[in-house]
Amino acid sequence: MSGKNCRAISFLDIRAVFLFFSTGMSEETNPYATPQAAPAPAPVSTAGVNFTNLASRWARLGGAILDSLIVAVPALGIMFMLGLFDRMDDQGRMSIGDTLLSTVIGIACYMAINGALIYKSGQTVGKRILGTQVVNLDGTKVDGNRYVVRRLLPFWLIPQIPIIGGIIGLANALCVFRREKNCLHDDIAQTRVVKVPKGI
């Protein structure tokens, strides 16, 4: 092969390599490309969600009272049968162990009565009677585990803390008077309570 042909082939090889890298390397992988700003995240869709349809404070209070009364009947019955009231001291206080046991009994009764509704529709018996429902901030159905772990569990446990537990529990209830009508447990779980048709 002549020197002229070698030079021609070398030139073609170099040009082919140059074209490969100049066309095959995108700006995403090119370390010398000008940095591009990351695209802004898509906003959460609120199509079809009426945030003026929030449940009234009275409906929320009524649902909570109904739930408490409904759960109290079996819970107090079980506590009575286990002799927890007989073991109270002269000032009507339970031991730490009995207090924890009574909390577990209350939670078990609450979930036995309301668990299926919570996972199905984001409601309790009281909420269903008064026509309220817990939903995500974008109006979609709330996950049952999220409802229980983030919305209920913290405020089942925090009130058991002496003094400060009662203060936090009161603050949780008073937060419903904000414009959004959200309690602290709504903020933690990122949920809202809305109006829906009443039913049993």
Side-chain angles (χ1 to χ4, degrees):
M1 183 178 294
S2 67
K4 183 177 181 180
N5 289 337
C6 289
R7 286 194 299 273
I9 293 174
S10 298
F11 174 78
L12 291 175
D13 290 342
I14 293 172
R15 179 169 178 170
V17 171
F18 174 79
L19 289 174
F20 172 83
F21 281 104
S22 63
T23 59
M25 181 181 292
S26 67
E27 289 188 357
E28 293 179 355
T29 59
N30 186 356
Y32 303 105
T34 303
Q36 300 294 322
V44 176
S45 174
T46 57
V49 179
N50 181 10
F51 286 120
T52 63
N53 195 36
L54 296 175
S56 72
R57 296 180 180 92
W58 287 111
R60 295 191 61 169
L61 176 62
I65 291 174
L66 279 176
D67 286 331
S68 297
L69 293 175
I70 293 169
V71 171
V73 174
L76 292 175
I78 294 172
M79 291 167 64
F80 179 80
M81 289 188 293
L82 293 177
L84 297 186
F85 299 113
D86 295 333
R87 296 200 293 268
M88 286 181 171
D89 61 20
D90 295 337
Q91 296 181 342
R93 295 176 302 189
M94 291 184 180
S95 66
I96 294 177
D98 283 351
T99 299
L100 292 175
L101 178 58
S102 65
T103 301
V104 171
I105 291 171
I107 292 173
C109 290
Y110 186 97
M111 291 305 299
I113 294 170
N114 297 302
L117 275 175
I118 287 173
Y119 278 83
K120 178 182 178 181
S121 61
Q123 293 177 295
T124 59
V125 173
K127 285 181 172 61
R128 191 170 180 84
I129 292 173
L130 292 185
T132 64
Q133 181 184 36
V134 177
V135 297
N136 292 320
L137 293 181
D138 62 358
T140 57
K141 179 180 177 295
V142 66
D143 176 71
N145 290 333
R146 182 178 183 181
Y147 189 120
V148 173
V149 174
R150 295 179 57 179
R151 195 173 192 274
L152 296 179
L153 189 59
F155 289 92
W156 279 337
L157 301 180
I158 289 174
Q160 311 310 316
I161 304 172
I163 302 177
I164 191 173
I167 296 174
I168 295 175
L170 178 61
N172 175 49
L174 291 177
C175 280
V176 77
F177 292 101
R178 295 179 294 177
R179 183 175 62 87
E180 300 84 359
K181 301 178 184 178
N182 273 10
C183 295
L184 291 179
H185 56 247
D186 294 306
D187 294 338
I188 293 172
Q190 294 292 286
T191 56
R192 295 182 186 274
V193 182
V194 298
K195 293 183 291 186
V196 293
K198 297 179 182 180
I200 299 178

